[in-house]
Amino acid sequence: MSETPSPSSSPASQTGTQLVKRGLAEMLKGGVIMDVVDPEQAKIAEDAGAVAVMALERVPSDIRRDGGVARMSDPEMIEGIKAVTTIPVMAKARIGHFVEAQILEALGVDYVDESEVLTPADEAHHIDKWAFTVPFVCGATNLGEALRRISEGACMIRSKGEAGTGNVVEAVRHLRSITGDIRKITQADGAELFEWAKRLQAPLPLVQEIHQTGKLPVPLFCAGGLAIPADAALAMQLGAEAVFVGSGIFKSDNPSARAKAIVEATTHFNDPAILAKVSRGLGAAMPGLEIGSLETTFAARGW
Amino acid sequence: MKVGLLALQGAVGPHAEALRDLGATPVEVRTPEQLADVDALVVPGGESTTMSKLLDTSGLAGPLAERLAAGLPTFGTCAGMIVLARTVLDGRADQRSYDAIDVTVRRNAFGRQVDSFEADLDVAGLDEPFHAVFIRAPFVEEVGPGVEVLAAVDGHPVLCRQGPILVSAFHPELTSDRRLHAVFLTLIP
């Protein structure tokens, strides 16, 4: 390995800036980020056209089944996945567990997911994400939560959905809540923006920014319960800019074919003829769960 | 002027904004029919291995090769530079590149995301430095005789032109400086 060259043409070269951190999220748009638990799955994901992989020890449906405390993955496992893929590798830290995040940064992961799928480590505080060079993605169920995470330094927001269920209904609820409130804020007058900030428990400048731009200050992706190509296209048509698929791929009958189909469906999300074509003959999807039957809802974690 | 934006995956929106600012009409391209209708093309940043797969599955691979061979003015940024290169190092064995510009590109040459950086670049033909954003960026290792190197970092070319093809290792679409998109538009007859 040669040493990483540093730019010579300027004294002002900087790493870890908001532009650079949000920039990687821009590059992932229109793509599928897949949960993988070992190098073999990582290869299948990359072969299928994933834009990134999320390295974790157990997919959410197994975490849900096993119960107990879910933590950061073993660094050896993350290293193993980094070694076989050329695409970005993400990994999860527990909510508020900034030391797990420090370790993930030291391992050179490309994005840290401060994730409700793992057992929270702090009941009041999320990680101060401004303190890191590595960018963070955080889950949100509504716009207020999204803006609080952005104020803490998150560079990408994803819907939480309800991970490990194969049921897209919660992701739809979260996306509609976020994009619906954004639409309303664009129509609000100056006085109403103060009330919006109060109601959302979010910083006023971020609410004012949304009023101006009509969009979240960082990319908005969808996660939680996606299982078939049509789910990915639904998320995209509802305003998500990329999708995470967790248990949906490797808990299905034919992960490779399903992964490829979801990649195509995410690109061609507005073309029903292509969606019909790629949805054919994929074998059984992961078994789904009714939200009402769950003992633990991951989406309720985070503050 | 209709400028196609290869919209299979990646940072499509910021390029569309840049093109609109300059009075061009961006058109998203996901199918061969859409490609047939454009006067020029932008291949955006994103994940080059993903784009390579989607070029195959969308049926665009053949038509894109034909239009590039026929001299379609094309601007490739980051992953786009990789897609347009003659040779790709550190890529996947099955990764497509279209030999539209005679350069050898090394993927992720500047390192992983924690090494991503922004810096002011001196660019041939521009009076003031260009603020450039490099994200898991590639650089050019070898250039052929017909290739003009317009900017470099530590001796590694990061902005090159050959005929109607312009490639950058960095992301001019992520800042509000439109000078490189303006240079690209001058390549369209």
Side-chain angles (χ1 to χ4, degrees), chain A residues 4 6-8 10 13-14 17 20 27 29 46-47 49-50 86 108 110 267, chain B residues 8-10 30 50 53-54 92 107 110 112-113 117-118 120 136 153-154:
Chain A
T4 299
S6 59
S8 57
S10 165
S13 162
Q14 280 185 293
T17 62
V20 159
M27 299 311 138
K29 282 185 179 177
E46 187 182 302
D47 287 346
T86 65
D110 296 295
T267 291
Chain B
L8 296 173
Q9 189 274 316
R30 291 188 182 82
T50 302
K53 306 257 172 228
L54 287 164
R92 287 172 55 93
R107 252 179 101 212
F110 286 104
R112 302 192 72 93
Q113 174 61 15
F117 63 95
E118 46 184 294
D120 287 333
R136 286 175 51 97
V153 169
D154 268 4

PDB file of all heavy atoms in Angstrom, chain A residues 4 6-8 10 13-14 17 20 27 29 46-47 49-50 86 108 110 267, chain B residues 8-10 30 50 53-54 92 107 110 112-113 117-118 120 136 153-154:
ATOM      1  N   THR A   4      -1.300   7.484   1.537  1.00  0.00           N
ATOM      2  CA  THR A   4      -2.316   8.328   0.955  1.00  0.00           C
ATOM      3  C   THR A   4      -1.725   9.711   0.688  1.00  0.00           C
ATOM      4  O   THR A   4      -1.208  10.340   1.596  1.00  0.00           O
ATOM      5  CB  THR A   4      -3.490   8.489   1.930  1.00  0.00           C
ATOM      6  OG1 THR A   4      -4.029   7.205   2.168  1.00  0.00           O
ATOM      7  CG2 THR A   4      -4.559   9.374   1.350  1.00  0.00           C
ATOM      8  N   SER A   6      -1.419  13.661   0.114  1.00  0.00           N
ATOM      9  CA  SER A   6      -2.177  14.806   0.580  1.00  0.00           C
ATOM     10  C   SER A   6      -2.129  15.863  -0.515  1.00  0.00           C
ATOM     11  O   SER A   6      -1.195  15.918  -1.293  1.00  0.00           O
ATOM     12  CB  SER A   6      -1.592  15.345   1.876  1.00  0.00           C
ATOM     13  OG  SER A   6      -0.258  15.720   1.640  1.00  0.00           O
ATOM     14  N   PRO A   7      -3.167  16.689  -0.585  1.00  0.00           N
ATOM     15  CA  PRO A   7      -3.197  17.664  -1.664  1.00  0.00           C
ATOM     16  C   PRO A   7      -2.079  18.683  -1.491  1.00  0.00           C
ATOM     17  O   PRO A   7      -1.797  19.130  -0.388  1.00  0.00           O
ATOM     18  CB  PRO A   7      -4.563  18.312  -1.502  1.00  0.00           C
ATOM     19  CG  PRO A   7      -4.984  18.016  -0.114  1.00  0.00           C
ATOM     20  CD  PRO A   7      -4.326  16.746   0.280  1.00  0.00           C
ATOM     21  N   SER A   8      -1.442  19.023  -2.576  1.00  0.00           N
ATOM     22  CA  SER A   8      -0.310  19.931  -2.499  1.00  0.00           C
ATOM     23  C   SER A   8      -0.701  21.339  -2.886  1.00  0.00           C
ATOM     24  O   SER A   8      -0.028  22.290  -2.553  1.00  0.00           O
ATOM     25  CB  SER A   8       0.777  19.446  -3.449  1.00  0.00           C
ATOM     26  OG  SER A   8       0.237  19.357  -4.757  1.00  0.00           O
ATOM     27  N   SER A  10      -2.898  23.428  -2.014  1.00  0.00           N
ATOM     28  CA  SER A  10      -3.516  24.403  -1.143  1.00  0.00           C
ATOM     29  C   SER A  10      -3.137  24.187   0.306  1.00  0.00           C
ATOM     30  O   SER A  10      -3.004  23.057   0.764  1.00  0.00           O
ATOM     31  CB  SER A  10      -5.027  24.299  -1.255  1.00  0.00           C
ATOM     32  OG  SER A  10      -5.614  24.977  -0.182  1.00  0.00           O
ATOM     33  N   SER A  13      -6.419  22.522   2.728  1.00  0.00           N
ATOM     34  CA  SER A  13      -7.010  21.205   2.606  1.00  0.00           C
ATOM     35  C   SER A  13      -7.567  20.724   3.945  1.00  0.00           C
ATOM     36  O   SER A  13      -6.882  20.757   4.951  1.00  0.00           O
ATOM     37  CB  SER A  13      -5.951  20.230   2.107  1.00  0.00           C
ATOM     38  OG  SER A  13      -6.345  18.913   2.370  1.00  0.00           O
ATOM     39  N   GLN A  14      -8.826  20.275   3.931  1.00  0.00           N
ATOM     40  CA  GLN A  14      -9.476  19.883   5.182  1.00  0.00           C
ATOM     41  C   GLN A  14     -10.214  18.564   5.020  1.00  0.00           C
ATOM     42  O   GLN A  14     -10.881  18.353   4.010  1.00  0.00           O
ATOM     43  CB  GLN A  14     -10.515  20.930   5.571  1.00  0.00           C
ATOM     44  CG  GLN A  14      -9.955  22.165   6.231  1.00  0.00           C
ATOM     45  CD  GLN A  14     -11.088  23.058   6.668  1.00  0.00           C
ATOM     46  OE1 GLN A  14     -11.801  23.600   5.827  1.00  0.00           O
ATOM     47  NE2 GLN A  14     -11.288  23.187   7.961  1.00  0.00           N
ATOM     48  N   THR A  17     -15.101  17.754   6.930  1.00  0.00           N
ATOM     49  CA  THR A  17     -16.008  18.909   6.883  1.00  0.00           C
ATOM     50  C   THR A  17     -17.432  18.440   6.600  1.00  0.00           C
ATOM     51  O   THR A  17     -17.652  17.314   6.133  1.00  0.00           O
ATOM     52  CB  THR A  17     -15.586  19.875   5.772  1.00  0.00           C
ATOM     53  OG1 THR A  17     -15.679  19.177   4.521  1.00  0.00           O
ATOM     54  CG2 THR A  17     -14.146  20.355   5.970  1.00  0.00           C
ATOM     55  N   VAL A  20     -17.818  17.452   2.970  1.00  0.00           N
ATOM     56  CA  VAL A  20     -17.252  16.143   2.651  1.00  0.00           C
ATOM     57  C   VAL A  20     -18.125  15.015   3.229  1.00  0.00           C
ATOM     58  O   VAL A  20     -18.355  13.986   2.600  1.00  0.00           O
ATOM     59  CB  VAL A  20     -15.810  16.083   3.197  1.00  0.00           C
ATOM     60  CG1 VAL A  20     -15.344  14.672   3.365  1.00  0.00           C
ATOM     61  CG2 VAL A  20     -14.864  16.868   2.295  1.00  0.00           C
ATOM     62  N   MET A  27     -23.489  10.890  -2.831  1.00  0.00           N
ATOM     63  CA  MET A  27     -23.007   9.881  -3.779  1.00  0.00           C
ATOM     64  C   MET A  27     -23.768   8.559  -3.651  1.00  0.00           C
ATOM     65  O   MET A  27     -23.759   7.743  -4.557  1.00  0.00           O
ATOM     66  CB  MET A  27     -21.501   9.624  -3.583  1.00  0.00           C
ATOM     67  CG  MET A  27     -20.647  10.833  -3.802  1.00  0.00           C
ATOM     68  SD  MET A  27     -21.035  11.686  -5.350  1.00  0.00           S
ATOM     69  CE  MET A  27     -20.969  13.392  -4.812  1.00  0.00           C
ATOM     70  N   LYS A  29     -26.995   8.370  -3.198  1.00  0.00           N
ATOM     71  CA  LYS A  29     -28.392   8.543  -3.610  1.00  0.00           C
ATOM     72  C   LYS A  29     -28.752   7.622  -4.769  1.00  0.00           C
ATOM     73  O   LYS A  29     -27.925   7.341  -5.631  1.00  0.00           O
ATOM     74  CB  LYS A  29     -28.634   9.995  -4.027  1.00  0.00           C
ATOM     75  CG  LYS A  29     -28.790  10.932  -2.839  1.00  0.00           C
ATOM     76  CD  LYS A  29     -29.139  12.326  -3.329  1.00  0.00           C
ATOM     77  CE  LYS A  29     -29.325  13.283  -2.171  1.00  0.00           C
ATOM     78  NZ  LYS A  29     -29.594  14.661  -2.670  1.00  0.00           N
ATOM     79  N   GLU A  46     -22.228  -6.684  -3.067  1.00  0.00           N
ATOM     80  CA  GLU A  46     -21.495  -5.888  -4.061  1.00  0.00           C
ATOM     81  C   GLU A  46     -21.767  -6.405  -5.471  1.00  0.00           C
ATOM     82  O   GLU A  46     -21.964  -5.632  -6.404  1.00  0.00           O
ATOM     83  CB  GLU A  46     -19.989  -5.911  -3.759  1.00  0.00           C
ATOM     84  CG  GLU A  46     -19.206  -4.966  -4.657  1.00  0.00           C
ATOM     85  CD  GLU A  46     -17.695  -4.994  -4.429  1.00  0.00           C
ATOM     86  OE1 GLU A  46     -17.256  -4.737  -3.305  1.00  0.00           O
ATOM     87  OE2 GLU A  46     -16.969  -5.257  -5.402  1.00  0.00           O
ATOM     88  N   ASP A  47     -21.806  -7.740  -5.624  1.00  0.00           N
ATOM     89  CA  ASP A  47     -22.106  -8.321  -6.942  1.00  0.00           C
ATOM     90  C   ASP A  47     -23.471  -7.879  -7.452  1.00  0.00           C
ATOM     91  O   ASP A  47     -23.694  -7.756  -8.651  1.00  0.00           O
ATOM     92  CB  ASP A  47     -22.093  -9.862  -6.868  1.00  0.00           C
ATOM     93  CG  ASP A  47     -20.682 -10.426  -6.733  1.00  0.00           C
ATOM     94  OD1 ASP A  47     -19.723  -9.671  -6.952  1.00  0.00           O
ATOM     95  OD2 ASP A  47     -20.555 -11.621  -6.388  1.00  0.00           O
ATOM     96  N   GLY A  49     -24.838  -5.021  -6.917  1.00  0.00           N
ATOM     97  CA  GLY A  49     -24.887  -3.596  -7.228  1.00  0.00           C
ATOM     98  C   GLY A  49     -25.207  -2.699  -6.040  1.00  0.00           C
ATOM     99  O   GLY A  49     -25.621  -1.555  -6.233  1.00  0.00           O
ATOM    100  N   ALA A  50     -25.004  -3.189  -4.822  1.00  0.00           N
ATOM    101  CA  ALA A  50     -25.186  -2.333  -3.647  1.00  0.00           C
ATOM    102  C   ALA A  50     -24.238  -1.140  -3.732  1.00  0.00           C
ATOM    103  O   ALA A  50     -23.124  -1.263  -4.239  1.00  0.00           O
ATOM    104  CB  ALA A  50     -24.887  -3.127  -2.369  1.00  0.00           C
ATOM    105  N   THR A  86     -15.027  -3.312  -2.229  1.00  0.00           N
ATOM    106  CA  THR A  86     -14.423  -2.051  -2.663  1.00  0.00           C
ATOM    107  C   THR A  86     -15.398  -0.894  -2.465  1.00  0.00           C
ATOM    108  O   THR A  86     -15.052   0.250  -2.689  1.00  0.00           O
ATOM    109  CB  THR A  86     -14.050  -2.119  -4.152  1.00  0.00           C
ATOM    110  OG1 THR A  86     -15.257  -2.239  -4.919  1.00  0.00           O
ATOM    111  CG2 THR A  86     -13.152  -3.305  -4.431  1.00  0.00           C
ATOM    112  N   GLY A 108     -11.776   2.810  10.364  1.00  0.00           N
ATOM    113  CA  GLY A 108     -11.865   3.337   9.002  1.00  0.00           C
ATOM    114  C   GLY A 108     -13.184   3.032   8.317  1.00  0.00           C
ATOM    115  O   GLY A 108     -13.234   3.011   7.081  1.00  0.00           O
ATOM    116  N   ASP A 110     -16.762   3.885   6.709  1.00  0.00           N
ATOM    117  CA  ASP A 110     -17.061   5.073   5.914  1.00  0.00           C
ATOM    118  C   ASP A 110     -18.263   5.854   6.444  1.00  0.00           C
ATOM    119  O   ASP A 110     -18.386   7.040   6.168  1.00  0.00           O
ATOM    120  CB  ASP A 110     -17.304   4.654   4.457  1.00  0.00           C
ATOM    121  CG  ASP A 110     -16.048   4.061   3.843  1.00  0.00           C
ATOM    122  OD1 ASP A 110     -15.063   4.801   3.700  1.00  0.00           O
ATOM    123  OD2 ASP A 110     -16.036   2.850   3.527  1.00  0.00           O
ATOM    124  N   THR A 267     -33.462   2.224  -8.835  1.00  0.00           N
ATOM    125  CA  THR A 267     -33.124   3.116  -9.955  1.00  0.00           C
ATOM    126  C   THR A 267     -34.359   3.478 -10.776  1.00  0.00           C
ATOM    127  O   THR A 267     -34.578   4.638 -11.108  1.00  0.00           O
ATOM    128  CB  THR A 267     -32.095   2.430 -10.885  1.00  0.00           C
ATOM    129  OG1 THR A 267     -30.861   2.338 -10.187  1.00  0.00           O
ATOM    130  CG2 THR A 267     -31.890   3.221 -12.169  1.00  0.00           C
TER     131      THR A 267
ATOM    132  N   LEU B   8     -28.753   6.673 -13.190  1.00  0.00           N
ATOM    133  CA  LEU B   8     -28.903   5.301 -12.703  1.00  0.00           C
ATOM    134  C   LEU B   8     -28.689   5.259 -11.198  1.00  0.00           C
ATOM    135  O   LEU B   8     -29.324   4.510 -10.479  1.00  0.00           O
ATOM    136  CB  LEU B   8     -27.894   4.395 -13.395  1.00  0.00           C
ATOM    137  CG  LEU B   8     -28.097   4.279 -14.905  1.00  0.00           C
ATOM    138  CD1 LEU B   8     -26.952   3.510 -15.543  1.00  0.00           C
ATOM    139  CD2 LEU B   8     -29.431   3.608 -15.210  1.00  0.00           C
ATOM    140  N   GLN B   9     -27.767   6.100 -10.732  1.00  0.00           N
ATOM    141  CA  GLN B   9     -27.439   6.144  -9.294  1.00  0.00           C
ATOM    142  C   GLN B   9     -26.444   7.272  -9.102  1.00  0.00           C
ATOM    143  O   GLN B   9     -25.628   7.533  -9.971  1.00  0.00           O
ATOM    144  CB  GLN B   9     -26.812   4.805  -8.857  1.00  0.00           C
ATOM    145  CG  GLN B   9     -26.629   4.648  -7.357  1.00  0.00           C
ATOM    146  CD  GLN B   9     -25.327   5.253  -6.871  1.00  0.00           C
ATOM    147  OE1 GLN B   9     -24.292   5.071  -7.474  1.00  0.00           O
ATOM    148  NE2 GLN B   9     -25.391   6.002  -5.775  1.00  0.00           N
ATOM    149  N   GLY B  10     -26.527   7.963  -7.963  1.00  0.00           N
ATOM    150  CA  GLY B  10     -25.515   8.948  -7.631  1.00  0.00           C
ATOM    151  C   GLY B  10     -26.051  10.358  -7.479  1.00  0.00           C
ATOM    152  O   GLY B  10     -27.249  10.578  -7.362  1.00  0.00           O
ATOM    153  N   ARG B  30     -32.215   7.195 -18.014  1.00  0.00           N
ATOM    154  CA  ARG B  30     -32.217   5.854 -17.419  1.00  0.00           C
ATOM    155  C   ARG B  30     -32.475   4.768 -18.457  1.00  0.00           C
ATOM    156  O   ARG B  30     -32.406   3.589 -18.131  1.00  0.00           O
ATOM    157  CB  ARG B  30     -33.308   5.748 -16.340  1.00  0.00           C
ATOM    158  CG  ARG B  30     -33.063   6.562 -15.079  1.00  0.00           C
ATOM    159  CD  ARG B  30     -34.101   6.234 -14.008  1.00  0.00           C
ATOM    160  NE  ARG B  30     -33.911   7.040 -12.817  1.00  0.00           N
ATOM    161  CZ  ARG B  30     -34.359   8.291 -12.668  1.00  0.00           C
ATOM    162  NH1 ARG B  30     -35.041   8.861 -13.633  1.00  0.00           N
ATOM    163  NH2 ARG B  30     -34.138   8.952 -11.546  1.00  0.00           N
ATOM    164  N   THR B  50     -21.765   0.050  -9.039  1.00  0.00           N
ATOM    165  CA  THR B  50     -23.225   0.004  -9.148  1.00  0.00           C
ATOM    166  C   THR B  50     -23.662   0.513 -10.518  1.00  0.00           C
ATOM    167  O   THR B  50     -24.503  -0.096 -11.184  1.00  0.00           O
ATOM    168  CB  THR B  50     -23.862   0.875  -8.042  1.00  0.00           C
ATOM    169  OG1 THR B  50     -23.420   0.405  -6.776  1.00  0.00           O
ATOM    170  CG2 THR B  50     -25.375   0.833  -8.107  1.00  0.00           C
ATOM    171  N   LYS B  53     -23.153  -2.060 -13.253  1.00  0.00           N
ATOM    172  CA  LYS B  53     -24.214  -3.095 -13.305  1.00  0.00           C
ATOM    173  C   LYS B  53     -25.480  -2.528 -13.948  1.00  0.00           C
ATOM    174  O   LYS B  53     -26.136  -3.181 -14.762  1.00  0.00           O
ATOM    175  CB  LYS B  53     -24.617  -3.532 -11.893  1.00  0.00           C
ATOM    176  CG  LYS B  53     -23.494  -3.990 -11.038  1.00  0.00           C
ATOM    177  CD  LYS B  53     -23.458  -5.483 -10.939  1.00  0.00           C
ATOM    178  CE  LYS B  53     -22.189  -5.888 -10.223  1.00  0.00           C
ATOM    179  NZ  LYS B  53     -21.473  -6.936 -10.916  1.00  0.00           N
ATOM    180  N   LEU B  54     -25.850  -1.320 -13.524  1.00  0.00           N
ATOM    181  CA  LEU B  54     -27.112  -0.751 -13.990  1.00  0.00           C
ATOM    182  C   LEU B  54     -27.040  -0.345 -15.466  1.00  0.00           C
ATOM    183  O   LEU B  54     -28.049  -0.332 -16.158  1.00  0.00           O
ATOM    184  CB  LEU B  54     -27.513   0.429 -13.108  1.00  0.00           C
ATOM    185  CG  LEU B  54     -28.012   0.013 -11.709  1.00  0.00           C
ATOM    186  CD1 LEU B  54     -28.018   1.200 -10.750  1.00  0.00           C
ATOM    187  CD2 LEU B  54     -29.434  -0.582 -11.798  1.00  0.00           C
ATOM    188  N   ARG B  92     -13.516  -3.671  -9.840  1.00  0.00           N
ATOM    189  CA  ARG B  92     -13.928  -5.059  -9.936  1.00  0.00           C
ATOM    190  C   ARG B  92     -13.545  -5.575 -11.319  1.00  0.00           C
ATOM    191  O   ARG B  92     -13.531  -4.816 -12.290  1.00  0.00           O
ATOM    192  CB  ARG B  92     -15.447  -5.167  -9.777  1.00  0.00           C
ATOM    193  CG  ARG B  92     -15.944  -4.948  -8.368  1.00  0.00           C
ATOM    194  CD  ARG B  92     -17.458  -4.885  -8.386  1.00  0.00           C
ATOM    195  NE  ARG B  92     -18.044  -6.075  -9.007  1.00  0.00           N
ATOM    196  CZ  ARG B  92     -18.437  -7.158  -8.339  1.00  0.00           C
ATOM    197  NH1 ARG B  92     -18.321  -7.196  -7.029  1.00  0.00           N
ATOM    198  NH2 ARG B  92     -18.969  -8.183  -8.977  1.00  0.00           N
ATOM    199  N   ARG B 107      -9.170   3.668  -8.557  1.00  0.00           N
ATOM    200  CA  ARG B 107     -10.346   3.898  -7.705  1.00  0.00           C
ATOM    201  C   ARG B 107      -9.934   4.137  -6.265  1.00  0.00           C
ATOM    202  O   ARG B 107      -8.998   3.505  -5.776  1.00  0.00           O
ATOM    203  CB  ARG B 107     -11.235   2.647  -7.731  1.00  0.00           C
ATOM    204  CG  ARG B 107     -12.517   2.808  -8.507  1.00  0.00           C
ATOM    205  CD  ARG B 107     -13.282   1.490  -8.468  1.00  0.00           C
ATOM    206  NE  ARG B 107     -14.364   1.515  -7.493  1.00  0.00           N
ATOM    207  CZ  ARG B 107     -14.783   0.457  -6.818  1.00  0.00           C
ATOM    208  NH1 ARG B 107     -14.208  -0.706  -6.970  1.00  0.00           N
ATOM    209  NH2 ARG B 107     -15.780   0.578  -5.984  1.00  0.00           N
ATOM    210  N   PHE B 110      -7.336   8.196  -3.102  1.00  0.00           N
ATOM    211  CA  PHE B 110      -7.021   9.071  -1.965  1.00  0.00           C
ATOM    212  C   PHE B 110      -7.412   8.440  -0.626  1.00  0.00           C
ATOM    213  O   PHE B 110      -7.230   9.049   0.416  1.00  0.00           O
ATOM    214  CB  PHE B 110      -7.717  10.427  -2.124  1.00  0.00           C
ATOM    215  CG  PHE B 110      -7.096  11.315  -3.169  1.00  0.00           C
ATOM    216  CD1 PHE B 110      -7.701  11.493  -4.402  1.00  0.00           C
ATOM    217  CD2 PHE B 110      -5.901  11.974  -2.909  1.00  0.00           C
ATOM    218  CE1 PHE B 110      -7.129  12.328  -5.364  1.00  0.00           C
ATOM    219  CE2 PHE B 110      -5.320  12.814  -3.857  1.00  0.00           C
ATOM    220  CZ  PHE B 110      -5.941  12.981  -5.095  1.00  0.00           C
ATOM    221  N   ARG B 112     -10.130   6.135   2.110  1.00  0.00           N
ATOM    222  CA  ARG B 112     -11.518   5.913   2.491  1.00  0.00           C
ATOM    223  C   ARG B 112     -12.179   7.241   2.844  1.00  0.00           C
ATOM    224  O   ARG B 112     -11.564   8.307   2.728  1.00  0.00           O
ATOM    225  CB  ARG B 112     -11.588   4.953   3.677  1.00  0.00           C
ATOM    226  CG  ARG B 112     -10.922   3.601   3.409  1.00  0.00           C
ATOM    227  CD  ARG B 112     -11.263   2.599   4.490  1.00  0.00           C
ATOM    228  NE  ARG B 112     -12.643   2.174   4.391  1.00  0.00           N
ATOM    229  CZ  ARG B 112     -13.054   1.100   3.724  1.00  0.00           C
ATOM    230  NH1 ARG B 112     -12.187   0.335   3.107  1.00  0.00           N
ATOM    231  NH2 ARG B 112     -14.326   0.792   3.686  1.00  0.00           N
ATOM    232  N   GLN B 113     -13.418   7.178   3.363  1.00  0.00           N
ATOM    233  CA  GLN B 113     -14.152   8.406   3.652  1.00  0.00           C
ATOM    234  C   GLN B 113     -13.428   9.307   4.659  1.00  0.00           C
ATOM    235  O   GLN B 113     -13.438  10.525   4.517  1.00  0.00           O
ATOM    236  CB  GLN B 113     -15.563   8.075   4.147  1.00  0.00           C
ATOM    237  CG  GLN B 113     -16.370   9.281   4.624  1.00  0.00           C
ATOM    238  CD  GLN B 113     -16.596  10.326   3.537  1.00  0.00           C
ATOM    239  OE1 GLN B 113     -16.410  10.068   2.349  1.00  0.00           O
ATOM    240  NE2 GLN B 113     -16.991  11.518   3.951  1.00  0.00           N
ATOM    241  N   PHE B 117     -11.502  14.949   1.402  1.00  0.00           N
ATOM    242  CA  PHE B 117     -11.056  16.303   1.759  1.00  0.00           C
ATOM    243  C   PHE B 117     -11.572  17.334   0.775  1.00  0.00           C
ATOM    244  O   PHE B 117     -12.050  16.999  -0.306  1.00  0.00           O
ATOM    245  CB  PHE B 117      -9.517  16.353   1.791  1.00  0.00           C
ATOM    246  CG  PHE B 117      -8.854  16.072   0.464  1.00  0.00           C
ATOM    247  CD1 PHE B 117      -8.483  17.110  -0.381  1.00  0.00           C
ATOM    248  CD2 PHE B 117      -8.607  14.773   0.055  1.00  0.00           C
ATOM    249  CE1 PHE B 117      -7.873  16.854  -1.619  1.00  0.00           C
ATOM    250  CE2 PHE B 117      -8.006  14.499  -1.171  1.00  0.00           C
ATOM    251  CZ  PHE B 117      -7.642  15.544  -2.011  1.00  0.00           C
ATOM    252  N   GLU B 118     -11.484  18.597   1.187  1.00  0.00           N
ATOM    253  CA  GLU B 118     -11.714  19.699   0.265  1.00  0.00           C
ATOM    254  C   GLU B 118     -10.481  20.578   0.241  1.00  0.00           C
ATOM    255  O   GLU B 118      -9.784  20.704   1.249  1.00  0.00           O
ATOM    256  CB  GLU B 118     -12.973  20.492   0.612  1.00  0.00           C
ATOM    257  CG  GLU B 118     -13.164  20.851   2.070  1.00  0.00           C
ATOM    258  CD  GLU B 118     -14.500  21.564   2.299  1.00  0.00           C
ATOM    259  OE1 GLU B 118     -14.645  22.685   1.797  1.00  0.00           O
ATOM    260  OE2 GLU B 118     -15.372  20.987   2.989  1.00  0.00           O
ATOM    261  N   ASP B 120      -8.368  24.003  -2.263  1.00  0.00           N
ATOM    262  CA  ASP B 120      -8.337  24.893  -3.422  1.00  0.00           C
ATOM    263  C   ASP B 120      -7.358  24.347  -4.452  1.00  0.00           C
ATOM    264  O   ASP B 120      -6.235  23.998  -4.117  1.00  0.00           O
ATOM    265  CB  ASP B 120      -7.913  26.299  -3.000  1.00  0.00           C
ATOM    266  CG  ASP B 120      -9.012  27.012  -2.241  1.00  0.00           C
ATOM    267  OD1 ASP B 120     -10.193  26.683  -2.481  1.00  0.00           O
ATOM    268  OD2 ASP B 120      -8.696  27.872  -1.403  1.00  0.00           O
ATOM    269  N   ARG B 136     -13.802   9.937  -1.271  1.00  0.00           N
ATOM    270  CA  ARG B 136     -13.301   8.595  -1.633  1.00  0.00           C
ATOM    271  C   ARG B 136     -12.821   8.625  -3.083  1.00  0.00           C
ATOM    272  O   ARG B 136     -13.145   7.755  -3.889  1.00  0.00           O
ATOM    273  CB  ARG B 136     -14.408   7.542  -1.460  1.00  0.00           C
ATOM    274  CG  ARG B 136     -14.699   7.193  -0.003  1.00  0.00           C
ATOM    275  CD  ARG B 136     -15.891   6.243   0.138  1.00  0.00           C
ATOM    276  NE  ARG B 136     -15.800   5.068  -0.708  1.00  0.00           N
ATOM    277  CZ  ARG B 136     -15.347   3.870  -0.318  1.00  0.00           C
ATOM    278  NH1 ARG B 136     -14.995   3.672   0.921  1.00  0.00           N
ATOM    279  NH2 ARG B 136     -15.283   2.868  -1.162  1.00  0.00           N
ATOM    280  N   VAL B 153      -3.148  17.019  -8.044  1.00  0.00           N
ATOM    281  CA  VAL B 153      -2.898  17.057  -6.606  1.00  0.00           C
ATOM    282  C   VAL B 153      -1.682  16.184  -6.342  1.00  0.00           C
ATOM    283  O   VAL B 153      -1.702  14.986  -6.664  1.00  0.00           O
ATOM    284  CB  VAL B 153      -4.124  16.524  -5.824  1.00  0.00           C
ATOM    285  CG1 VAL B 153      -3.775  16.320  -4.357  1.00  0.00           C
ATOM    286  CG2 VAL B 153      -5.308  17.475  -5.951  1.00  0.00           C
ATOM    287  N   ASP B 154      -0.639  16.770  -5.782  1.00  0.00           N
ATOM    288  CA  ASP B 154       0.602  16.028  -5.533  1.00  0.00           C
ATOM    289  C   ASP B 154       1.101  15.298  -6.773  1.00  0.00           C
ATOM    290  O   ASP B 154       1.562  14.155  -6.678  1.00  0.00           O
ATOM    291  CB  ASP B 154       0.383  14.988  -4.418  1.00  0.00           C
ATOM    292  CG  ASP B 154       0.737  15.562  -3.064  1.00  0.00           C
ATOM    293  OD1 ASP B 154       1.070  16.757  -2.992  1.00  0.00           O
ATOM    294  OD2 ASP B 154       0.683  14.806  -2.078  1.00  0.00           O
TER     295      ASP B 154
END
